Amino acid sequence: MEVTLSWLGEAFARDGYICGEEILVPVYLSLKLEKPLLITGAPGVGKTEIAKVLSRVLATDLIRLQCYEGLDENKALYEWNYQKQLLMIELLRRDCSLEEVRSDLFAEEYLLERPLLKALRLSRRPVLLIDEIDKSDQEFEAFLLEVLSDFQVSIPELGTIKASQVPVVVLTSNGERELSDGLKRRCLFLYIDYPDIDKETRIIRTRVPEAGETLARQVAAAVNRIRSELDLRKKPAIAETIDWARALVLMEARGLEPNLVRRTLNLLLKDQEDLATLNQELGVEELCRQVTSRG
């Protein structure tokens, strides 16, 4: 399969991911240069979805490593199967012959692959998603540098394991902490912001085709105002916009009106304090008036 920029754009569109060249070009260059792609931006703007879309359009495996505080090399790379090793020791104690059991307790058969090692050893180029790298510790980030630059790892008992195919690597960050310069140097950088009204309208129309143009645009306009005008604990993600549009379609809405918005707003705002902020600082009636007056 020859991956070109135009092919990638068409493939993303067929898969329902609406974006322009500001996203497609970094993704394309990451594929062709075989360099990891570091995607930053607020939660819910579609960073993780890019890895999922890539795995679908490239028809390959998606291997996900979810980062968190305390994540270490063993959980990300490999572990030894201690239960199997203990069983082997027990068999040896029962005078089983060495021909019947293997005495090497650190051989391949006792190795448990974790996401990083699995991605390096797959024969077909997979998509490796290292999600929310900013939640991991700096020590783990330092460990990743060898993996992301040389695509190889060292296991003391087995030696160096080099990738049979350089995986497509996507890292995401919500910006909870500053990432190291070393990690940034190894990656192409892509920042994704919340979509504007036109783009979010297209996303709604793609994901919720039952919503008419009027409803989709009013939903997009309302979400845009909520995100931009209110100081919220959690701004609505694109996925929540889609859920809200689906709910409004189920309620047979043709456009936004206050009673309908009040009954469904909990699909968009998931924090009681944020709901109170909207009611106090903007108001449902005013929100509906603003988005419907534009037609």
Side-chain angles (χ1 to χ4, degrees), residues 45-291:
V45 295
K47 304 186 297 296
T48 300
E49 190 63 21
I50 286 181
K52 295 178 181 178
V53 173
L54 276 173
S55 73
R56 290 194 291 265
V57 302
L58 297 175
T60 192
D61 294 297
L62 173 66
I63 300 173
R64 181 172 186 164
L65 175 62
Q66 180 64 50
C67 297
Y68 54 87
E69 187 177 352
L71 176 64
D72 60 20
E73 182 178 333
N74 286 342
K75 294 183 178 64
L77 185 59
Y78 73 93
E79 290 182 279
W80 292 107
N81 189 333
Y82 296 119
Q83 287 185 328
K84 195 172 181 180
Q85 287 176 323
L86 289 172
L87 178 61
M88 179 63 68
I89 292 171
E90 184 64 27
L91 289 172
L92 286 169
R93 285 176 177 168
R94 294 176 184 176
D95 297 326
C96 290
S97 68
L98 291 177
E99 290 74 21
E100 294 172 324
V101 293
R102 295 187 60 183
S103 59
D104 185 359
L105 298 179
F106 294 97
E108 279 277 353
E109 64 185 290
Y110 302 103
L111 191 66
L112 296 175
E113 287 182 343
R114 298 309 181 206
L116 293 181
L117 184 59
K118 184 178 180 182
L120 294 179
R121 301 214 298 183
L122 277 180
S123 57
R124 184 172 186 173
R125 191 183 187 192
V127 174
L128 171 62
L129 168 62
I130 303 176
D131 210 10
E132 299 182 323
I133 180 64
D134 53 323
K135 288 186 176 177
S136 68
D137 302 316
Q138 290 181 339
E139 291 78 8
F140 180 75
E141 188 183 317
F143 156 74
L144 271 183
L145 297 183
E146 180 187 6
V147 179
L148 298 181
S149 59
D150 299 330
F151 296 100
Q152 67 178 33
V153 294
S154 298
I155 299 178
E157 297 85 357
L158 299 178
T160 300
I161 296 176
K162 192 171 181 60
S164 52
Q165 294 259 4
V166 174
V168 177
V169 183
V170 175
L171 301 97
T172 72
S173 170
N174 294 330
E176 289 192 8
R177 70 170 173 84
E178 183 70 19
L179 301 175
S180 70
D181 291 339
L183 182 75
K184 293 176 182 175
R185 276 198 303 273
R186 286 162 173 79
C187 302
L188 294 182
F189 177 74
L190 169 61
Y191 173 76
I192 302 180
D193 202 352
Y194 286 113
D196 59 22
I197 294 174
D198 288 340
K199 183 177 178 181
E200 197 150 22
T201 300
R202 291 170 58 204
I203 293 172
I204 295 169
R205 294 285 283 150
T206 300
R207 298 297 184 90
V208 194
E210 302 86 358
E213 176 67 23
T214 299
L215 177 62
R217 180 160 289 277
Q218 290 182 4
V219 167
V223 174
N224 180 274
R225 285 195 169 276
I226 289 171
R227 286 190 190 124
S228 60
E229 295 184 13
L230 301 178
D231 183 18
L232 301 175
R233 293 167 61 91
K234 182 183 178 303
K235 293 184 178 182
I238 295 173
E240 286 154 351
T241 302
I242 293 170
D243 285 344
W244 192 34
R246 285 180 175 144
L248 291 168
V249 168
L250 288 173
M251 300 292 282
E252 300 180 351
R254 296 290 183 269
L256 293 187
E257 55 90 6
N259 285 336
L260 201 54
V261 171
R262 285 193 194 89
R263 292 157 65 190
T264 57
L265 202 54
N266 56 342
L267 281 91
L268 192 66
L269 298 177
K270 307 293 181 61
D271 186 280
Q272 187 59 34
E273 190 173 318
D274 287 344
L275 287 167
T277 298
L278 186 146
N279 286 319
Q280 293 167 8
E281 298 186 13
L282 184 58
V284 170
E285 286 84 358
E286 177 61 17
L287 175 67
C288 291
R289 189 195 65 76
Q290 290 180 3
V291 300

